[in-house]
Amino acid sequence: MLAARPAARPAAGRLALALVVAPVLVAGCKDRHAAHDDAAPRATADAGAAIRDAAPRDAPGDAIAGGPWPRLARFPIIDPVRVIALPARPDVPRFDVGGPAIAGDVAIVSSSQLGFAAVDWRRGALVWTRPAGLHVAPPIDSPQGVILISDCAAPVEVADALLGCIRVVTRSGIDQGYAAIHGKRVEAFAGSPGSQDVWLDGDRAVRWRRGDLAVSVDLITGVATPTTAAPPPLRVSYRTHTWEISRTEQAIVARERGKVAWQTRRPYTALLGAVYLAELTPMIRVANVGVFGGWAELNLLDIDATGSLHGQAAFPVPAISALGHAVDAVGNTAIAVRMDSSLRHDFIVGYAANALLMYVYPLPEIPRADPVGVAIASDAVLVFHDGDTFTVLPELSSPPTAPGAPRTPSQNPTP
């Protein structure tokens, strides 16, 4: 097993950032809602100046012999706990990849070249596999079992439009159900291009999005009906309040009881999840990719979920886009980042819930056109990349002495 931490690591004081983001709120009334002025881009860029100024000024894609890429040289770089090669078929085109989805003690991934596979990341073992057609959707865990959606592996006859097949298995891989996905008025979805997502949709259905279209699929009958393609809102509860947080092209918007409670004054690249720190109200974690001070960066910011002036920001990392992300129950965050336009320099950056940058891990330096899947378990960060490789990275919890020790959502006071 490789070392989980670098021998020489920058002091936590230099990497931890507890800046207060001071969004200017507009007082709300019946016809006017509070709005965040998340003025943190300047504060965040200034906070990253120490790393930027210390980093070598080589071209972003140049390699350093025996070391990381120059723009990552000043970050704590870790080795993987283990790398697991999965039995993919190189003679099959890699149309789609998905996962990992954590289901108990296994993580399930999907790929056109391997179908579905469950991996025991602690032992580095393949637990079970299931066949699939050429196109696969991301797997998802549910109370009914692990849900697997793909093109049908064998011919299926239905009276209306056929979209694929849905299989439900137990976490140990035992088949629970199998049905063709079919429906009326869903022909456009069948040929819709674009990335895919699968979300739970009530007790007995899933919502399957492909590009700009989505269908709701009954887990028992496989009947599909058109539905909204908007992702489910992020729900955050604190004391007597519950906010539903969503991202639009213009802003991050928080609604309470159907009405806008607050919203930001600028858009963000991604709504990541919620953060729960001891003795603090919950925060909403967002990411923004852009050019700041002449550098292309990914900035990570936390906004108070109540709409107050409190928040925090983290040191930025060099980036032109985000390829995937995961956030656990307390706010520990892992993001797959594309550093430059070469398509060869992608890495994982891990942040603790208190915005401490824990580490970066450069992915293999190869041309990469596929998404990178990320999940966070209690004891590891799990990464599925290149259609056939499962990489296990160290956990993300910050040291116990770091400010703002995280706590689980169930520990929030709810009088």
Side-chain angles (χ1 to χ4, degrees):
M1 183 180 298
L2 299 176
R5 293 285 191 272
R9 177 174 175 168
R14 293 204 302 272
L15 285 177
L17 180 59
L19 286 180
V20 173
V21 181
V24 178
L25 297 181
V26 178
C29 60
K30 289 184 179 180
D31 300 319
R32 200 171 185 182
H33 303 290
H36 280 277
D37 179 336
D38 354 279
R42 176 177 176 81
T44 307
D46 292 345
I51 285 182
R52 287 198 302 272
D53 293 343
R57 295 294 175 131
D58 308 72
D62 293 344
I64 295 178
W69 308 315
R71 293 193 65 191
L72 295 186
R74 301 302 180 187
F75 293 95
I77 297 177
I78 49 89
D79 293 323
V81 175
R82 61 177 52 88
V83 177
I84 306 165
L86 301 179
R89 293 180 53 189
D91 59 319
V92 175
R94 191 164 65 234
F95 292 117
D96 304 308
V97 295
I102 297 176
D105 293 326
V106 298
I108 297 93
V109 298
S110 62
S111 168
S112 300
Q113 295 181 317
L114 60 84
F116 297 95
V119 181
D120 183 331
W121 68 88
R122 296 184 180 92
R123 296 188 298 116
L126 186 65
V127 179
W128 52 261
T129 62
R130 284 295 178 273
L134 285 179
H135 294 279
V136 294
I140 183 173
D141 189 33
S142 77
Q144 290 74 28
V146 180
I147 300 168
L148 314 175
I149 297 175
S150 72
D151 285 352
C152 299
V156 175
E157 292 187 6
V158 293
D160 41 25
L162 176 66
L163 303 182
C165 285
I166 185 167
R167 184 192 301 268
V168 181
V169 303
T170 65
R171 293 176 173 180
S172 58
I174 300 172
D175 285 331
Q176 297 287 94
Y178 186 82
I181 302 174
H182 61 98
K184 303 181 186 300
R185 298 180 293 109
V186 296
E187 292 82 1
F189 180 89
S192 176
S195 60
Q196 300 184 83
D197 291 288
V198 179
W199 302 294
L200 296 179
D201 189 12
D203 295 332
R204 53 171 290 172
V206 292
R207 185 159 22 129
W208 177 18
R209 182 176 72 175
R210 180 188 285 159
D212 295 329
L213 299 177
V215 292
S216 179
V217 182
D218 187 284
L219 295 177
I220 305 300
T221 65
V223 172
T225 55
T227 188
T228 175
L234 172 67
R235 292 177 60 89
V236 177
S237 296
Y238 180 72
R239 295 186 175 176
T240 61
H241 300 276
T242 297
W243 298 274
E244 292 191 338
I245 319 291
S246 58
R247 171 187 168 272
T248 71
E249 294 299 321
Q250 294 77 35
I252 302 295
V253 181
R255 289 180 171 83
E256 187 174 13
R257 298 182 180 91
K259 298 181 179 180
V260 174
W262 57 262
Q263 64 182 33
T264 63
R265 289 183 175 174
R266 58 173 53 89
Y268 288 91
T269 302
L271 171 61
L272 302 178
V275 175
Y276 298 90
L277 297 177
E279 310 306 325
L280 296 177
T281 57
M283 289 182 285
I284 308 304
R285 178 155 289 181
V286 299
N288 205 32
V289 176
V291 177
F292 305 96
W295 292 76
E297 297 177 334
L298 181 145
N299 286 274
L300 183 141
L301 305 168
D302 292 337
I303 303 169
D304 195 306
T306 68
S308 78
L309 301 179
H310 301 292
Q312 62 183 4
F315 275 133
V317 293
I320 63 170
S321 65
L323 305 180
H325 69 268
V327 179
D328 70 6
V330 296
N332 297 315
T333 304
I335 307 174
V337 174
R338 172 147 293 164
M339 189 169 72
D340 57 43
S341 58
S342 70
L343 306 184
R344 301 174 62 92
H345 300 113
D346 304 329
F347 63 94
I348 307 299
V349 57
Y351 291 97
N354 63 355
L356 172 68
L357 195 159
M358 298 296 291
Y359 59 70
V360 297
Y361 170 71
L363 292 171
E365 192 172 342
I366 60 175
R368 183 171 292 107
D370 301 310
V372 176
V374 188
I376 302 178
S378 60
D379 55 355
V381 172
L382 312 176
V383 184
F384 180 52
H385 55 96
D386 305 317
D388 60 3
T389 306
F390 192 98
T391 297
V392 182
L393 302 178
E395 63 179 309
L396 283 176
S397 296
S398 58
T401 55
R407 61 184 175 190
T408 61
S410 61
Q411 293 175 299
N412 285 326
T414 54

